[in-house]
Amino acid sequence: MTAMTPAPTRTRPDLSYLLDHTSHVLRTRMAAALAEIGLTARMHCVLVHALEEERTQNQLAEIGDMDKTTMVVTVDALEKAGLAERRPSSTDRRARIIAVTKAGAKVAARSQAIVDGVHEEAIAAFPPEDREMFLRLITHLAAGHLSTPVPGPSPARRPRQRG
């Protein structure tokens, strides 16, 4: 029988676990809240970003960190629900944009209120004096040191980030 080597002693909290776990739980809460109005987080993302300016399906896929297949399925669902449609671009007749219908704009306003509420509920877990600091610090990480993935031998699985 061989002796087991003791595990190294952790000297810092497991930041990867903390960020992954809280992100996962936030996504599940977001999915449940948006499902109440028949949307997914991806559908919400497409509606909101398509309302901001004229954007192609490829541009929206990049913003929402979706592969082409997922984007097609998402837009198909939005079209079936009467919330968006594919149209020729006003600036490039070869390109097709995703246009949000009037019904889609109303749903996007509702879904944005839901998203804001889920985020507010998460932030409310902090004492009031810590909320703005947390947002500043997490934004600083996301825009700075942790803004760009490092290439590796095999790509790390990455959840959808924007929405």
Side-chain angles (χ1 to χ4, degrees), residues 29-87:
R29 289 181 180 196
M30 190 68 69
L34 288 171
E36 291 182 16
I37 62 167
L39 287 188
T40 65
R42 289 181 176 123
M43 292 166 82
H44 164 75
C45 180
V46 170
L47 287 175
V48 168
H49 291 291
L51 280 168
E52 291 173 342
E53 63 184 65
E54 188 174 285
R55 289 190 164 122
T56 65
Q57 192 164 299
N58 287 342
Q59 290 169 321
L60 291 166
E62 186 174 323
I63 289 169
D65 195 27
M66 291 180 247
D67 60 43
K68 289 180 183 182
T69 302
T70 302
M71 184 64 188
V72 168
V73 169
T74 301
V75 174
D76 287 349
L78 289 169
E79 279 189 317
K80 185 176 180 182
L83 304 177
E85 56 192 25
R86 294 169 174 96
R87 290 186 190 158

Side-chain angles (χ1 to χ4, degrees), residues 1-2 29 40-41 55 97 99 117 123 127 130 135-136 141 162:
M1 184 165 156
T2 59
R29 289 181 180 196
T40 65
R55 289 190 164 122
I97 58 135
I123 297 301
D130 292 342
L135 291 172
R136 270 195 315 276
L141 271 179
R162 297 181 212 153

Side-chain angles (χ1 to χ4, degrees), residues 85-141:
E85 56 192 25
R86 294 169 174 96
R87 290 186 190 158
S89 167
S90 64
T91 58
D92 180 355
R93 59 190 174 129
R94 296 168 297 167
R96 296 186 53 82
I97 58 135
I98 305 305
V100 179
T101 65
K102 286 183 182 184
K106 288 179 184 176
V107 169
R110 285 180 62 202
S111 67
Q112 189 61 59
I114 289 168
V115 167
D116 290 346
V118 170
H119 289 162
E120 195 58 42
E121 190 176 278
I123 297 301
F126 290 114
E129 64 274 12
D130 292 342
R131 294 172 189 171
E132 289 304 317
M133 180 178 291
F134 170 77
L135 291 172
R136 270 195 315 276
L137 293 173
I138 198 78
T139 299
H140 184 73
L141 271 179

